Amino acid sequence: MVNIPTFENALEARRRIDSWIHLTPVLTSQYLNGVVGAELFFKCENFQKAGAFKTRGAANAVFGLSGASAARGVVTHSSGNHGASLAYAAARRGIPATVVMPDNAVRAKREAVRHYGGRIFECEPSASAREETARELAANSGGELVHPYNDARVIAGQATCAIEFLEQVPDLDTVIAPIGGGGLIAGTCLASRENATRVEVFAAEPELADDACRSLRAGRLVSVDSSGTIADGLRAPLMEMTWHFVSRHVRDVLTVGETEIVDAMKSMWQRMKVTAEPSSAVALAAVLKYRETFVGKSVGVIVTGGNSDLDNLPWNLR
Amino acid sequence: MVNIPTFENALEARRRIDSWIHLTPVLTSQYLNGVVGAELFFKCENFQKAGAFKTRGAANAVFGLSGASAARGVVTHSSGNHGASLAYAAARRGIPATVVMPDNAVRAKREAVRHYGGRIFECEPSASAREETARELAANSGGELVHPYNDARVIAGQATCAIEFLEQVPDLDTVIAPIGGGGLIAGTCLASRENATRVEVFAAEPELADDACRSLRAGRLVSVDSSGTIADGLRAPLMEMTWHFVSRHVRDVLTVGETEIVDAMKSMWQRMKVTAEPSSAVALAAVLKYRETFVGKSVGVIVTGGNSDLDNLPWNLR
C-alpha cells in the first residue's frame, strides 16, 4: 500500500518550509508569447535556494523529522539538485547529509552538494545502483532515507511550487513542468486538482528518457534506458508513488528531442536572461513544439533549476 | 547652459513610462552576502523590456515627444542597449527609429535593434564618429536626436530605476551601478539625493575605460581611449550633463580590471542564475574588490542588462 500525500500535507509543508525557501518570481516574455500565440508565465525556481525547486521537498522532509531521527542524519541519491537541496536543508538543521551521486553528474551540481557540506558517495549512473547504494548507506548509518521523489514528504513539498504559482497567476489554464522521476509533476497534480479552476497539467519529457510517455500509453510503468539525454535532471524513472499521480491526473506527456531542448535552453538564456539548466528547458521546448495545444491559453511553465556547467554549454559543443 | 533634469522630471517620467516597462525584481544571494560580509540586493534590469535599464530613458524621451515631432522619428547612436530600447519604444509609438552603431557592437545587440524594427547605420567605433553621424542623420531626416545619456529626458527616465529600487528595499545604505556615459549614475544621484536617508552612490568602472575615475580625481572632464574593455556598454565617455551629477554627488568611482569583470560575471551566472552582460558585472566586481568599503552595509547593486553573446562567452575565450 503506497502512502499517497494529500493536499493537506502540501499545506502543512508550506508552513513548515516557509522560512527556508524563496518565494520565486514569475517572469514573462513578450517575444515568446508572440512565438507561441499564448500567454506564458515562467515560475523561476532556478532562483530557489540551492538553485532548484528540489529545496521545497527536501526542506519539508528534513524539518518534518523528529529530533531523534534528525540527529542520525539524512541519506539520498541524486543526479544533483535533490542532493544539493537536501544538503542545504540538513545544514540549516545542523545535521549530516550523505548523497549518492552517479559518476557522470554535472560538476556544478557536485560542487553545490559539497558547498552545503554534504558528503558525496559515487556510484554507477544506473537507477538501480543509486537506489541500492543509498539504501545500504541508510541502513548502515541509521540515517533517514529521503528519496528524491518516491516519498510523500518530498511530493508534498514540491506541491508548494504550484500552490504559490496559482496564487501569483490565478487564471492559469495549464501548468507544464518537466518530468523525470515525477516528484514535481505529482506535486503539481496535487496542487492543481484542488484548485477551483481545475488547471490542466502537462508533463514534458526528453525523447531519450520517455518512460512517463510510454507508461501513460501502456497504462502501466514501463522502463527505458535514459542515460543519454542532456537533461541530466530527468534521467530518473517514474516510481509507484509518482505514477499514481501521472496515471490519474496528467493530461498528456509531451516528448522533445535533444536539439529542441538545447534550442529552448538557449532561447531562455537569450530572451529571458535566466540560466535555466537543460532539464528546465524541456517544458518550454514542448510548448514550442506542440504550439497548437497551448495557443490562446494562459500557460504556466515551471523553470525547475539553474545549475548548469558554464564551461560546457551545449551550444558550444555541437 | 546645460538643461539639468530635476527630481520632478523623474516623477513625471515614471508616470509616462509606467505601461511600457517592467517593474523588475530584486534578487539576493546568501552566497555573495557571505563573501562580501554585507547584505546585497540586486535590481535586475536585465529582465527589463529590451533587456536593459535603457528602456526607461528611451521610453521617457519617445513618449514625451509631441505628435508632430514623433512623426519624424527618432535617431540615436549606441553600442547596443540604448539603440534596442529606443527601437522598442519607437515601435510601441509606431514611429521610425534609426540607430548609429559602432561596427564592433555585440551581435546580440545588433539583432535586438533589428528585432524591434530599428534601422542600423554602421560607423567607426569612436565616440566622435558616433556623435557626428547621428547628428547628421537627425539633421537630414528632421528626426529627433535622443542622445543615449547626455539628455535630460533620458537621465530622468533612468532615475526611475533607483526610485523603484528604494521603494523595494527602503533601507539601502548605498547604491552602486556601472558607469559608461553616466546616464544611469546621473539618474541614480537624482533619485537618491531626494531620498530621506540620503543613500550614497558609488560608480563602478572598467580600468580600461576609466574616464569617470580620472575626471573625478582631476576635477574636470578627462577623456581616455576606452575601446578595449569587454564591458561594451561602458565605452562611452562622460559628457557635461552626466559630469554635472558625477562631480557633485558620486561618493567615489571604483575601477576594476578585465579579469575581475569576467570573474564577477561568471559568479552572477553561476550563483544568481541570471545572464548579466559584462557591463552589468562591473558593479559586483567593484563590490568584491573593495569589500572593506561595503562590509556591514545594505548595498543595492543595479544589474544593468542581460544582452550577452552566448556564442562568445568570455570564460570560453581565455
Side-chain angles (χ1 to χ4, degrees):
Chain A
M1 184 55 200
V2 191
N3 168 25
I4 301 298
T6 63
F7 189 65
E8 191 45 55
N9 295 149
L11 296 179
E12 277 162 31
R14 199 178 183 192
R15 289 187 289 272
R16 183 178 289 133
I17 68 180
D18 182 59
S19 48
W20 310 105
I21 63 158
H22 284 306
L23 196 167
T24 55
V26 173
L27 296 179
T28 58
S29 161
Q30 282 309 112
Y31 172 80
L32 291 171
N33 285 353
V35 170
V36 179
E39 273 219 288
L40 307 181
F41 298 89
F42 296 88
K43 174 73 170 160
C44 289
E45 290 289 302
N46 55 311
F47 299 139
Q48 192 47 270
K49 290 279 183 187
F53 75 90
K54 294 275 189 180
T55 304
R56 296 171 181 273
N60 189 42
V62 164
F63 286 95
L65 292 175
S66 71
S69 301
R72 289 189 295 274
V74 284
V75 178
T76 196
H77 61 83
S78 166
S79 62
N81 284 333
H82 173 68
S85 292
L86 194 72
Y88 161 80
R92 290 300 161 283
R93 193 155 179 192
I95 63 175
T98 305
V99 182
V100 176
M101 295 190 89
D103 53 21
N104 65 350
V106 169
R107 203 182 57 185
K109 295 187 175 179
R110 246 171 233 283
E111 285 169 3
V113 172
R114 272 196 213 101
H115 169 71
Y116 293 116
R119 262 199 323 167
I120 296 176
F121 259 80
E122 288 212 343
C123 76
E124 280 175 62
S126 80
S128 55
R130 284 158 55 159
E131 296 280 350
E132 206 173 300
T133 312
R135 255 198 312 269
E136 272 173 28
L137 282 170
N140 295 343
S141 65
E144 178 77 14
L145 185 65
V146 180
H147 192 278
Y149 53 89
N150 199 48
D151 183 310
R153 303 165 295 184
V154 170
I155 291 173
Q158 317 308 28
T160 64
C161 176
I163 292 175
E164 219 177 84
F165 199 0
L166 286 163
E167 285 176 3
Q168 291 169 299
V169 191
D171 58 352
L172 288 179
D173 299 310
T174 298
V175 174
I176 183 166
I179 191 163
L184 177 62
I185 282 289
T188 303
C189 290
L190 195 55
S192 65
R193 77 176 183 202
E194 295 290 331
N195 187 269
T197 56
R198 301 190 74 77
V199 178
E200 57 181 10
V201 176
F202 283 87
E205 192 172 47
E207 284 165 5
L208 293 185
D210 64 346
D211 63 308
C213 179
R214 286 173 193 255
S215 298
L216 201 63
R217 302 278 175 273
R220 61 177 173 80
L221 275 180
V222 170
S223 69
V224 301
D225 169 18
S226 59
S227 57
T229 179
I230 189 180
D232 57 287
L234 306 182
R235 291 176 190 149
L238 284 186
M239 289 176 70
E240 51 182 343
M241 206 181 296
T242 50
W243 170 240
H244 171 94
F245 288 96
V246 171
S247 59
R248 282 165 181 77
H249 305 291
V250 166
R251 173 69 185 277
D252 203 359
V253 179
L254 306 175
T255 61
V256 291
E258 298 293 297
T259 305
E260 291 161 334
I261 297 170
V262 174
D263 289 346
M265 177 177 167
K266 197 172 178 185
S267 262
M268 293 172 86
W269 290 46
Q270 200 133 48
R271 297 288 176 179
M272 296 175 53
K273 320 299 181 189
V274 298
T275 64
E277 59 181 84
S279 306
S280 279
V282 171
L284 177 61
V287 172
L288 292 168
K289 182 173 181 180
Y290 302 95
R291 214 180 257 115
E292 69 285 0
T293 303
F294 300 100
V295 71
K297 291 186 183 165
S298 185
V299 182
V301 180
I302 302 181
V303 182
T304 48
N307 297 321
S308 299
D309 184 347
L310 295 179
D311 295 316
N312 289 295
L313 291 171
W315 49 83
N316 289 326
L317 305 177
R318 50 185 191 187
Chain B
M1 184 55 200
V2 190
N3 169 25
I4 301 299
T6 63
F7 188 64
E8 190 45 54
N9 295 150
L11 297 179
E12 278 162 31
R14 198 178 186 194
R15 289 187 290 272
R16 183 177 290 133
I17 69 180
D18 181 59
S19 47
W20 309 105
I21 63 157
H22 284 306
L23 196 168
T24 55
V26 173
L27 297 179
T28 57
S29 161
Q30 283 308 113
Y31 172 80
L32 291 171
N33 285 353
V35 170
V36 179
E39 272 219 290
L40 307 181
F41 298 89
F42 296 87
K43 174 73 170 160
C44 289
E45 290 288 302
N46 56 311
F47 299 138
Q48 191 48 270
K49 290 279 183 188
F53 76 90
K54 294 275 190 180
T55 304
R56 296 172 181 273
N60 190 43
V62 164
F63 286 95
L65 291 174
S66 71
S69 299
R72 289 189 294 273
V74 285
V75 178
T76 196
H77 62 82
S78 166
S79 62
N81 284 333
H82 173 69
S85 292
L86 194 71
Y88 161 81
R92 290 299 161 283
R93 192 154 179 192
I95 63 174
T98 305
V99 182
V100 176
M101 295 190 89
D103 53 22
N104 64 351
V106 168
R107 203 182 56 183
K109 296 187 174 180
R110 242 172 236 284
E111 285 169 3
V113 173
R114 273 197 213 99
H115 169 72
Y116 293 116
R119 261 198 325 166
I120 296 176
F121 259 81
E122 289 211 343
C123 77
E124 280 175 61
S126 81
S128 56
R130 283 158 55 157
E131 296 280 349
E132 206 173 301
T133 312
R135 255 198 312 270
E136 272 173 29
L137 282 170
N140 295 341
S141 65
E144 178 77 16
L145 186 64
V146 180
H147 193 278
Y149 53 90
N150 199 48
D151 183 310
R153 302 164 296 184
V154 170
I155 292 172
Q158 317 308 29
T160 64
C161 176
I163 292 175
E164 220 176 84
F165 199 0
L166 286 163
E167 286 176 3
Q168 291 170 299
V169 192
D171 58 353
L172 289 179
D173 299 310
T174 297
V175 174
I176 183 166
I179 191 163
L184 178 63
I185 282 289
T188 304
C189 290
L190 195 55
S192 64
R193 77 177 182 201
E194 294 291 331
N195 188 269
T197 55
R198 301 190 75 76
V199 178
E200 59 182 8
V201 177
F202 283 88
E205 192 173 46
E207 285 166 5
L208 292 186
D210 65 346
D211 63 306
C213 179
R214 287 172 193 256
S215 298
L216 202 63
R217 303 277 175 275
R220 61 179 173 80
L221 275 180
V222 171
S223 68
V224 301
D225 170 18
S226 58
S227 57
T229 178
I230 188 179
D232 58 287
L234 306 182
R235 291 174 191 151
L238 284 186
M239 290 175 70
E240 51 182 344
M241 207 181 296
T242 49
W243 170 239
H244 171 92
F245 288 96
V246 171
S247 58
R248 283 166 181 77
H249 305 292
V250 166
R251 173 70 187 276
D252 202 0
V253 178
L254 306 174
T255 61
V256 291
E258 298 293 297
T259 305
E260 290 160 333
I261 298 170
V262 174
D263 289 346
M265 178 177 167
K266 197 172 179 186
S267 263
M268 293 173 86
W269 289 45
Q270 199 133 50
R271 297 289 176 178
M272 297 176 52
K273 320 299 181 190
V274 298
T275 65
E277 59 181 85
S279 307
S280 280
V282 171
L284 176 61
V287 172
L288 291 168
K289 182 173 181 179
Y290 303 95
R291 215 181 256 114
E292 68 287 358
T293 303
F294 300 100
V295 71
K297 290 185 182 166
S298 185
V299 181
V301 180
I302 302 181
V303 182
T304 49
N307 297 322
S308 299
D309 184 348
L310 295 179
D311 295 316
N312 290 295
L313 291 172
W315 49 83
N316 289 326
L317 304 177
R318 51 185 188 187

